[in-house]
Amino acid sequence: MLDRRSLLAGGAALFATTACSRSTPGLGGGGANPLPMPPLLDARPGRSFALRVQSGTTSFYPGRPSDTLGYNGSYLGPTIRVRRGDDVAAVVTNGLNADTTVHWHGLLIPGELDGGPHQIIAPGATWRPTLPIRQPAATLLYHSHVHGLTAEQVYSGLAGALLVTDDEEQGLGLPSEYGVDDLPLLIQDRQFENGRLVMPGGMMVAMQGRRGDTILVNGAVNPLAAVPNRLVRLRLVNASNARIYELSFSDRRSFHWIGTEGGLLEHAVALEAITLAPGQRAELLVDFTDGRSASLVTAADTNSSMMGGMGMMGRGARRTDAAAPATVLRFEPRPLGQARASGVVPTLLASRTGPDASKAVRRRRLSLNMGMGGMMGSGSGGGGLTINGKPFDMNRIDETVKLGSTEIWEVSGEMMRHPIHIHGVHFDVLTRGGGQPDVLDQGPRDTVLVKEPVELLIRFDQPAKSAPFMYHCHILEHEDNGMMGQFSVA
């Protein structure tokens, strides 16, 4: 069980299990749990919302309370919905005994509003940013981003979905009944011992990030979603610390991929599987008119470093790469709500003019490095977890970018796949490994998987002068331990 005093102290690891552990067999009776739906905080008509960062207890299994963190509750946070064109007043109060921040992941706003490591909210303090919403409809994410404690605070529950809507999206006739046929799904892997949440620690956690033996959706173990027997919109959010999901349906049914981190695609893409890395989001349309139950499943977790293959397990670290696919969420179609037509996948989703590669004025190269020091879990700075050989330094600006300019950033990773996230921008993938981008690279992105060199085309339209933007690996233990840099835009 997470120790609350350690959880709120800040700096040191919260809790490290001393042995590989599984959930106690039979906990929860083996039955399904109804999928919880986060409360909806709609910023209209008042164009404002309030969050309280707080500690609490959560029983993931009956009678087995765990100490957790949440926004306006004990674990995770409400879904926040904002509208393009509004200026939204946020009121964020820190009820913890430790520093925290709230990063609006994917929101295109100036650096001083971004909620990164420079916008610390001290215990008992309230942060009151006004967020200008000037981007297309999209599924975003908000979460803690306090340097050195991001991984621990997110693992403990500090994350939630942030939805942007606009007239163009609403005119498409997409499923839009929140919690019925329009479902935000925060996917996480967590580790349990005797039904209580524990926090893995040790060498391999520093190297590969925290991974768990149990998959949660919206904080629920073994969730079951009752959905209408019609077209349903799934807003997938990877809120895990490190795990990459290779998602498909148990009956191999196809679905339509309609949105990335940056918003809707121009055209829907028919797929049978999709990859979702930490920090990434994907919007899917799934047709349940046949009335057949199906499960969303994920393939084996194989994004391990070379040391994982050598069997060097840290204390409490657990590999979750069993051969059989793991069930993420079961769907049971039913006649729900007012009967209406299934709906049709629109031919054209969103018109978009991306950045022009011919206008790029500069090329930068970022290498996400993993040296031996990073394997030892040496704390902030990581010893070997760096970008371009430099561990993160809050007092150093690594790159200076001109406001309104377009650049090409070439990013590559070492030893494993890394999800690179860049604050304050959306980008397009130009090339991967010197060739054409993958099918799943298309659309406006803010997070992308790299190992082989990937070229990103970026236009910088948000200022970051008084406070810089971050770029970092979104394996949260990697960013906490040094695999992060920062840039100014002026």
Side-chain angles (χ1 to χ4, degrees):
M1 179 173 172
L2 291 176
D3 181 87
R4 185 175 298 177
R5 288 171 298 179
S6 298
L7 183 68
L8 302 181
L14 305 181
F15 186 89
T17 57
T18 56
C20 295
S21 56
R22 294 179 182 267
S23 303
T24 301
L27 278 175
N33 296 303
L35 175 72
M37 195 50 48
L40 178 63
L41 279 186
D42 200 325
R44 287 207 161 190
R47 296 178 175 82
S48 65
F49 63 87
L51 294 177
R52 180 175 177 82
V53 190
Q54 60 190 71
S55 60
T57 59
T58 303
S59 293
F60 298 95
Y61 293 92
R64 309 280 176 151
S66 299
D67 288 331
T68 52
L69 302 179
Y71 300 104
N72 297 0
S74 66
Y75 189 76
L76 298 178
T79 299
I80 301 168
R81 185 165 64 194
V82 297
R83 186 177 179 85
R84 186 179 190 177
D86 284 352
D87 293 318
V88 178
V91 180
V92 185
T93 300
N94 182 6
L96 307 180
N97 293 326
D99 289 345
T100 194
T101 76
V102 180
H103 169 49
W104 318 110
H105 182 133
L107 203 57
L108 301 181
I109 51 180
E112 65 269 18
L113 305 175
D114 183 59
H118 292 275
Q119 286 84 51
I120 291 293
I121 311 171
T126 297
W127 184 42
R128 301 176 183 273
T130 296
L131 309 175
I133 312 301
R134 303 291 186 268
Q135 64 196 79
T139 298
L140 311 182
L141 171 65
Y142 66 96
H143 59 82
S144 168
H145 207 310
V146 59
H147 183 50
L149 284 176
T150 296
E152 295 176 358
Q153 291 192 355
V154 172
Y155 187 94
S156 301
L158 292 187
L162 173 62
L163 311 183
V164 178
T165 187
D166 63 15
D167 289 340
E168 187 175 5
E169 175 207 28
Q170 292 180 351
L172 293 172
L174 296 171
S176 59
E177 191 174 351
Y178 181 81
V180 178
D181 61 7
D182 185 358
L183 309 180
L185 303 175
L186 276 73
I187 305 173
Q188 303 168 299
D189 61 333
R190 295 293 183 260
Q191 190 163 323
F192 292 88
E193 182 177 352
N194 297 322
R196 290 186 168 91
L197 182 66
V198 294
M199 185 168 292
M203 181 190 304
M204 292 313 299
V205 163
M207 193 65 174
Q208 296 180 180
R210 287 185 175 89
R211 296 158 189 265
D213 53 16
T214 303
I215 296 176
L216 311 178
V217 181
N218 294 349
V221 176
N222 193 21
L224 172 66
V227 294
N229 52 351
R230 57 179 188 254
L231 204 63
V232 174
R233 182 181 189 175
L234 306 181
R235 299 176 185 259
L236 305 180
V237 179
N238 187 341
S240 294
N241 282 42
R243 180 163 182 168
I244 299 170
Y245 297 95
E246 312 284 351
L247 299 166
S248 61
F249 281 91
S250 54
D251 59 1
R252 304 306 301 175
R253 71 177 63 199
S254 62
F255 53 84
H256 284 91
W257 175 39
I258 63 168
T260 69
E261 297 92 46
L264 296 173
L265 296 166
E266 291 188 77
H267 303 279
V269 179
L271 298 172
E272 288 190 357
I274 193 165
T275 301
L276 204 66
Q280 285 189 321
R281 289 86 66 204
E283 295 191 28
L284 313 181
L285 291 180
V286 185
D287 194 346
F288 289 104
T289 54
D290 59 12
R292 291 188 292 113
S293 298
S295 294
L296 185 68
V297 300
T298 183
D301 180 11
T302 58
N303 191 43
S304 61
S305 70
M306 64 173 64
M307 297 306 295
M310 296 168 64
M312 294 183 62
M313 298 297 293
R315 292 187 306 153
R318 174 166 173 76
R319 291 289 294 278
T320 55
D321 52 359
T327 298
V328 176
L329 174 63
R330 289 187 285 167
F331 293 94
E332 187 173 297
R334 303 173 185 173
L336 294 176
Q338 184 178 355
R340 55 191 174 95
S342 171
V344 177
V345 178
T347 302
L348 178 65
L349 291 166
S351 55
R352 174 176 179 261
T353 301
D356 184 349
S358 69
K359 301 289 180 62
V361 297
R362 182 163 180 174
R363 176 182 291 269
R364 302 176 197 259
R365 289 181 172 85
L366 304 179
S367 176
L368 281 59
N369 311 126
M370 301 181 71
M372 289 302 295
M375 299 180 192
M376 304 309 296
S378 53
S380 183
L385 296 177
T386 65
I387 296 181
N388 291 345
K390 298 183 293 185
F392 178 65
D393 184 342
M394 286 276 285
N395 299 311
R396 184 188 68 232
I397 300 297
D398 297 283
E399 308 289 343
T400 301
V401 178
K402 184 178 179 181
L403 182 64
S405 66
T406 300
E407 297 189 354
I408 295 172
W409 288 22
E410 182 184 298
V411 188
S412 60
E414 287 183 351
M415 297 174 64
M416 61 191 294
R417 293 183 293 170
H418 299 266
I420 179 75
H421 171 50
I422 306 175
H423 291 211
V425 300
H426 292 158
F427 51 74
D428 290 76
V429 178
L430 284 180
T431 66
R432 179 175 290 276
Q436 292 295 313
D438 293 342
V439 170
L440 296 181
D441 285 329
Q442 64 185 288
R445 319 304 302 251
D446 61 44
T447 307
V448 67
L449 272 172
V450 303
K451 186 176 182 183
E452 70 276 36
V454 175
E455 289 185 314
L456 309 177
L457 180 63
I458 313 171
R459 181 176 169 87
F460 298 88
D461 290 324
Q462 295 298 322
K465 190 172 182 180
S466 60
F469 286 129
M470 306 293 117
Y471 55 85
H472 58 86
C473 178
H474 216 279
I475 294 174
L476 302 183
E477 289 73 19
H478 285 186
E479 73 171 79
D480 271 346
N481 286 300
M483 196 175 282
M484 183 160 64
Q486 53 189 2
F487 65 101
S488 62
V489 183

